[in-house]
Amino acid sequence: MTVTEASVPSVPPRDPNRTPILQARNLVKTFGRVVGLDGVSLDLYPGEVLAIIGDNGAGKSTLIKCLTGAEIPDEGQILLSGEQVHFKRPQDARTHGIETVYQNLAVSPALDVASNLYLGREERLSNIFGKLFRVLDTNGMRKRAKEELTRLGISTLQDVTVAVENLSGGQRQAVAVARAAAFGSKVVVLDEPTAALGVRESNQVLQLVRDLRDRGLPVILISHNMPHVFDVADRIHIQRLGKCAATITPESHNMTDAVAIMTGAATA
Ligand SMILES: Nc1ncnc2c1ncn2[C@@H]1O[C@H](COP(=O)(O)OP(=O)(O)O)[C@@H](O)[C@H]1O
Ligand SMILES: [Mg+2]
């Protein structure tokens, strides 16, 4: 690693000919006088894990919120498969296939696995009971939930009728990730998915992230855990003081380098 101003701040993705699925161009977001994002660009390519790291206050959450419709940027563009999009609320991003697992898990403990997967997109019976009395198609949802879990390669959740409160922390996280990855989503955003997990469970979630990537689904992973980031990420976007300080890869830089760029002790 060189510590010169002139060094190239970005490493190209594995296949530069591919079109990014998701692009951010010069996003600016201010909160009164506080600058949350100061002209941040980002490319997410098909089938890659892009990690976002940075110190507290560096703008990681604001960046993710702008990409997932939870905040509206003041300036800049967001493009999905090359087309500009304007998300006004998280549901807009979901409709476009961008699913987010926020740090405080959005699973309902009392509901079973299948109901959690279908949370917010419940299916009714197609007969008169469904139409008139809004009766849920529980069996149908369970069947399709199982099929989705199989398709996603999630083997840790065998029984979709188990209440989520009876699952381990890692399995709950798997439910949340499965919910985000299921039903035709295009991009999965995970905010600190291993923060509350033990070593074995973290490894399961990291394997799940790799599996999603290998099935072609790109993942944005926000994490403070350098070993996890270096273990699973294809590229690493480093936020510092509201800007992207560098985009590196586990091959181009080591963890010490990444921390140095994060803290401003070095440039890429
Ligand atoms: N809703 C908000 N109101 C005021 N300031 C905010 C708000 N959200 C974020 N900020 C500020 O923007 C900056 C970036 O914050 P954030 O994106 O949460 O950083 P990170 O997630 O990297 O810790 C910080 O200075 C933070 O205090
Ligand atoms: Mg944050």
Side-chain angles (χ1 to χ4, degrees):
M1 191 176 71
T2 49
V3 191
T4 57
E5 288 292 316
S7 57
V8 180
S10 285
V11 175
R14 285 181 297 181
D15 181 355
N17 293 323
R18 291 182 303 178
T19 338
I21 288 203
L22 184 65
Q23 288 172 283
R25 289 280 160 267
N26 298 315
L27 296 184
V28 174
K29 178 72 189 177
T30 53
F31 305 97
R33 271 190 230 143
V34 177
V35 180
L37 295 180
D38 189 5
V40 175
S41 298
L42 165 156
D43 292 318
L44 178 69
Y45 287 85
E48 77 168 349
V49 176
L50 177 68
I52 298 180
I53 63 173
D55 242 332
N56 286 333
K60 303 181 298 295
S61 295
T62 307
L63 176 57
I64 285 315
K65 285 177 182 167
C66 287
L67 293 175
T68 61
E71 295 275 11
I72 303 172
D74 305 331
E75 289 175 36
Q77 287 114 38
I78 297 168
L79 296 94
L80 196 60
S81 305
E83 303 256 326
Q84 194 172 350
V85 286
H86 301 272
F87 300 144
K88 302 232 162 13
R89 55 191 77 80
Q91 188 54 45
D92 297 344
R94 278 191 91 189
T95 305
H96 280 85
I98 301 176
E99 293 278 347
T100 313
V101 179
Y102 294 100
Q103 196 166 349
N104 45 351
L105 278 184
V107 288
S108 297
L111 298 179
D112 66 27
V113 172
S115 306
N116 267 282
L117 289 192
Y118 274 91
L119 210 60
R121 51 162 83 89
E122 290 84 357
E123 291 178 0
R124 318 263 160 206
L125 286 171
S126 57
N127 61 19
I128 186 145
F129 294 103
K131 287 191 178 109
L132 226 52
F133 306 110
R134 306 183 56 75
V135 177
L136 294 178
D137 181 12
T138 306
N139 287 333
M141 287 191 287
R142 285 181 175 169
K143 181 168 168 286
R144 285 186 289 280
K146 256 188 206 155
E147 288 166 1
E148 277 297 315
L149 291 174
T150 306
R151 191 181 65 78
L152 295 167
I154 298 174
S155 53
T156 167
L157 306 168
Q158 298 286 349
D159 184 355
V160 297
T161 67
V162 174
V164 163
E165 63 198 356
N166 296 322
L167 300 177
S168 71
Q171 287 174 319
R172 286 184 200 203
Q173 188 63 260
V175 172
V177 174
R179 179 169 179 260
F183 312 111
S185 62
K186 289 184 189 156
V187 173
V188 173
V189 181
L190 305 173
D191 194 355
E192 297 277 359
T194 57
L197 302 181
V199 175
R200 210 174 70 91
E201 295 193 329
S202 291
N203 286 335
Q204 285 174 356
V205 170
L206 293 177
Q207 188 53 46
L208 186 48
V209 169
R210 283 187 210 100
D211 290 344
L212 296 181
R213 186 250 325 266
D214 294 344
R215 283 170 167 75
L217 194 60
V219 178
I220 296 179
L221 173 76
I222 301 143
S223 181
H224 274 102
N225 189 309
M226 286 295 156
H228 290 175
V229 165
F230 272 76
D231 188 3
V232 82
D234 296 296
R235 295 189 302 129
I236 304 167
H237 171 117
I238 307 178
Q239 271 293 122
R240 175 171 154 71
L241 304 174
K243 294 183 198 279
C244 175
T247 305
I248 63 170
T249 72
E251 293 76 36
S252 70
H253 294 70
N254 63 29
M255 289 187 218
T256 313
D257 301 335
V259 172
I261 296 168
M262 228 171 84
T263 57
T267 57

